[in-house]
Structures are given as C-alpha cells and as structure tokens.
Amino acid sequence: MITGDVAVTGGMMEQSDRQSAEDPLPSVLWGLDPVHGVFAKLYIQDILQLKNSLHVPGIFFYGTHPISRVDILGTVVQRLEKEKFYAFGVDDGTGVISCVYWKKQMPAQVTKTASPPGGLNLRQQLSRLAGLEEDKRRVELGDVVRVRGRVREYREQREVSSISLVKVSDPVFAAQISRMLELPHLYRSFYDKTFRIPKDGCEADEHGALILSLQSKIKQFLAQNQVKNFYQRELETIDSLSCIARRDREGQCDQDSALSPAETLTQEPISSPCVSRQIHATFQEAVSALQEEGVIFQKVAGPNELYLVTDEEKQLHNVTLEIIRDDCTQPKYIERGCPFRHILNCVRQCYGAGVTEATLQRLLDSMECCSQIVSTMDRFYTAC
C-alpha cells in the first residue's frame, strides 16, 4: 500500500512539473490577446520581473499576457556611447532598465561626385542630415526620454532594444504626470485581467447583444427622464431595465427545463442571491460601457458611488467653458486654441479627478454643436 501511494504521488508530482513547465497561454492563442500586438506601457519594475517564455525566446509574460514590446517613459540616469550604439539607463521611479539604441549607418563617402556647377552634392547633404538626426537622438544625463522597443536578455540582464527614441521636453513634468495617471487605468482594464477565450462563441455573442441592448435602454431612460445622477442599484429596480438583465437567466432556465427532475432540484431559483449577483454583474457591464462612451462618469470611482450624466451636469459644462474662455486669451493659446490635454488637466483640478477623456470629449462636441466653442484644429479649442 505504501509503495502504491508513493507511485501515485510521484506521478502527480511529475504531472504538476509538466504543467508548471508550460507557458500561461499556448502560443497558438497569443495573437488573440490584444496586449501581445502593442507596445505595452508597463512600470519598469514589472518589466524587470516579467517571466520568460519556456518555448519562444524573446517572449515574456505578465500574468497570462505575452509581452514582446514595451513603451517606457523616464529619466536618463546612466549613459554610455559606443561607435555603433548608445547604451543608457532609464528610471521611471519604480526601477532602472538598460536601453540600447543602434546608430543609423551614415551614407557611404565617395571621393568625388559629379554635380553640375553650382549644384548640390546629394551625398553630402544626406550625410549632413543623418548627422543632425543622430545629434537629436544623443541623450544626456537628466533627459526625459520615451523609448519603444523589444524586451530581451543580454548576459542574463533584462534590457530594451530600442526601435524608437524620443527626447521629451517636460519642464513642468506634464508628460510624466500624464503617464502616472494613465498606467493605473491600463493595469486595471487590461494587464491585471486574466485573458480568457470564450468557450462558446454563440453564448458570447448572445451575452454581448444583451449588454448592448441594456446599454441602449439605460441611455434612452436617462435622456427621456432627464436624469442628472443616479446609483446603479436604483437602475436595477426599474422593471423595464431589469427585465433585460433577466433574459440571460431565463435562457438558462429554458435549458434547465430539459434536465431530469433530480437535476432540476439542484438548480438555483430566479430569486436566489446568486441570480441577483448575476443581474447586478450584467448592469455593471452595461454601466461600465456607458462610462467608456462618456455618457456618464463618477467624481469618485467605485461601483457603489454616485454616477453623473454628462449631458445634464451643468457645473461641469460651466467650468469647462470658463477654462477655455480664460486660457484661450493667453499668448501661447491665442493662435491655435487650448489643447485637449490642457483642458482635461484643468477640469480635473477645478472640478474633479474622475472626469475621463471620453466624458470631456463628449462635452466638447456638445458645446461645439451649440456654437459655444470651435475646434481650430485636431483637439484644439477656442471660445466663440
């Protein structure tokens, strides 16, 4: 008996070792994860702690997401220049990572080039332009840079092989603050969520259609009743909305009716707490979609906090219009108008940090339709 137990345990251990030796997500599914195809904006600390793929070199994992390319913003704290490349360390406040940027090859020099009298020597001009471009790419200690590139390991050290290197003029830390505000949203919305593939495409399509239907009904209800603010739990008490959320459960009940009596007894009734949680989750998805669309927003984030309707929030409208009227008279904004990012930062300071880009964009579009403001160019606005 003891020998048998040991044999079984050993087999289980071998099986667990084989499972642990697998990547979190099979390589055939990597292309379905949207994070895999972009330059992931991650904290440098997390880039240094990415797990290597066991089967494909150059691929790393953050949770279940395959990562190959990253986008980082930070300050140059180390610098080394060689004949063919620059090596520099970038610090974003969470860690320091080495970056390598390969210099572009200069045009080949020739002894003499036939050119018409008084004409330009194209090779000399190309060489001069290439030199100017390299000067712009040369970084110094203290420069704020944005680096995009591939993650790799060289001599057991994690580094970024840069594809793009841009020096950022950031005297008031606007770019770095914007990145600090952006990253937590990306982590909550994408990186920290486990990537899953729907097992049944039909079920996913039906669920998505149900969410879209509920989203449309909520939007219609808010507009018809001129609702200014609400709590999600209040929406769940409205029969015309809650009946849509119950459709998914009713479809499951139709499937349950084909079960045997013994199996039916094990199913949960419609009024059970579990079903209530399912309906609550359906509303939560629809409300989140409306937030992403900019129809509603929150001053304080949280599922149990108050939601405000963008089109009915007069205080937000007045604050935004006053900011544009005041700031478009400043010398640097007279010609082109106030940039969208500047307006967003001012609104968050004067009104509330919970105002999203989608919310402000919806508000600005509405104000432009009413001829209160005009867009002078892409995402630049001035008062009429």
Side-chain angles (χ1 to χ4, degrees):
M1 288 294 294
I2 295 177
T3 305
D5 291 341
V6 172
V8 172
T9 304
M12 293 175 63
M13 292 177 61
E14 292 175 0
Q15 183 178 2
S16 63
D17 290 341
R18 287 196 298 269
Q19 292 176 350
S20 62
E22 296 295 329
D23 289 333
L25 187 69
S27 59
V28 295
L29 302 178
W30 289 353
L32 300 178
D33 189 344
V35 176
H36 177 57
V38 301
F39 289 91
K41 295 181 179 179
L42 297 170
Y43 294 114
I44 289 178
Q45 179 183 8
D46 291 331
I47 298 175
L48 296 173
Q49 295 176 354
L50 293 176
K51 296 181 179 179
N52 296 62
S53 171
L54 300 173
H55 304 293
V56 182
I59 299 294
F60 305 84
F61 281 92
Y62 180 84
T64 59
H65 300 287
I67 303 289
S68 60
R69 297 172 293 179
V70 294
D71 181 325
I72 59 177
L73 178 74
T75 305
V76 177
V77 295
Q78 300 170 357
R79 179 183 178 277
L80 176 65
E81 182 176 355
K82 294 290 186 179
E83 180 181 356
K84 294 184 177 181
F85 64 88
Y86 299 108
F88 52 95
V90 178
D91 184 354
D92 71 344
T94 67
V96 180
I97 191 169
S98 297
C99 300
V100 177
Y101 182 79
W102 295 90
K103 298 180 180 179
K104 294 183 179 180
Q105 295 294 329
M106 295 289 190
Q109 298 289 337
V110 293
T111 54
K112 283 189 178 181
T113 304
S115 60
L120 294 176
N121 188 317
L122 294 181
R123 291 190 179 276
Q124 291 181 358
Q125 293 298 321
L126 289 174
S127 177
R128 176 175 171 273
L129 291 175
L132 292 174
E133 185 177 357
E134 285 301 322
D135 290 339
K136 291 183 178 180
R137 295 288 188 269
R138 185 175 290 108
V139 297
E140 303 293 341
L141 293 178
D143 285 344
V144 178
V145 295
R146 180 180 181 182
V147 180
R148 284 185 167 189
R150 293 189 174 275
V151 184
R152 69 172 190 173
E153 287 194 348
Y154 179 69
R155 295 181 179 177
E156 300 182 354
Q157 295 292 326
R158 189 72 51 83
E159 67 178 22
V160 176
S161 180
S162 306
I163 299 173
S164 170
L165 170 62
V166 178
K167 288 195 289 186
V168 179
S169 177
D170 195 24
V172 294
F173 306 101
Q176 297 177 74
I177 293 174
S178 176
R179 179 63 67 98
M180 289 170 60
L181 295 173
E182 180 185 17
L183 285 179
H185 170 71
L186 291 176
Y187 273 82
R188 287 194 303 267
S189 302
F190 302 102
Y191 305 144
D192 289 339
K193 288 186 176 180
T194 302
F195 176 69
R196 293 186 177 90
I197 303 230
K199 296 181 180 179
D200 190 339
C202 295
E203 291 181 4
D205 292 341
E206 292 176 1
H207 181 70
L210 183 143
I211 297 299
L212 287 175
S213 176
L214 181 58
Q215 179 183 345
S216 176
K217 286 292 184 181
I218 293 176
K219 191 188 303 184
Q220 182 180 355
F221 172 82
L222 296 176
Q224 289 179 349
N225 296 276
Q226 297 182 342
V227 178
K228 296 182 179 180
N229 52 63
F230 64 90
Y231 290 96
Q232 180 182 320
R233 58 179 177 269
E234 295 175 337
L235 292 180
E236 297 173 12
T237 63
I238 300 172
D239 293 337
S240 60
L241 301 178
S242 60
C243 67
I244 300 176
R246 293 194 187 98
R247 289 179 188 173
D248 189 28
R249 181 60 187 176
E250 290 173 358
Q252 295 179 9
C253 292
D254 292 339
Q255 297 176 0
D256 295 342
S257 62
L259 300 176
S260 65
E263 292 173 325
T264 304
L265 291 174
T266 62
Q267 302 300 315
E268 295 178 352
I270 300 294
S271 59
S272 68
C274 181
V275 176
S276 299
R277 286 194 295 269
Q278 292 175 358
I279 295 175
H280 177 78
T282 303
F283 268 94
Q284 183 63 52
E285 288 188 57
V287 169
S288 297
L290 290 175
Q291 278 186 284
E292 294 177 1
E293 194 177 337
V295 177
I296 59 177
F297 68 98
Q298 291 179 299
K299 278 190 173 182
V300 180
N304 298 321
E305 298 295 336
L306 184 69
Y307 290 92
L308 302 172
V309 181
T310 304
D311 295 342
E312 299 293 335
E313 181 54 26
K314 302 303 180 184
Q315 182 183 358
L316 175 60
H317 177 281
N318 294 335
V319 168
T320 305
L321 183 58
E322 185 179 354
I323 289 172
I324 297 175
R325 284 175 174 171
D326 291 344
D327 291 0
C328 70
T329 59
Q330 297 182 13
K332 59 181 178 180
Y333 297 138
I334 288 179
E335 292 186 4
R336 297 191 302 171
C338 300
F340 178 86
R341 180 63 60 178
H342 169 76
I343 300 172
L344 179 62
N345 292 336
C346 292
V347 169
R348 285 174 172 172
Q349 293 176 5
C350 299
Y351 178 82
V355 178
T356 63
E357 292 189 19
T359 299
L360 181 61
Q361 189 63 63
R362 180 183 180 90
L363 179 61
L364 293 175
D365 292 342
S366 174
M367 294 168 64
E368 189 170 11
C369 290
C370 297
S371 300
Q372 295 177 318
I373 62 173
V374 62
S375 56
T376 57
M377 54 189 300
D378 186 26
R379 304 194 99 185
F380 282 77
Y381 300 88
T382 186
C384 295

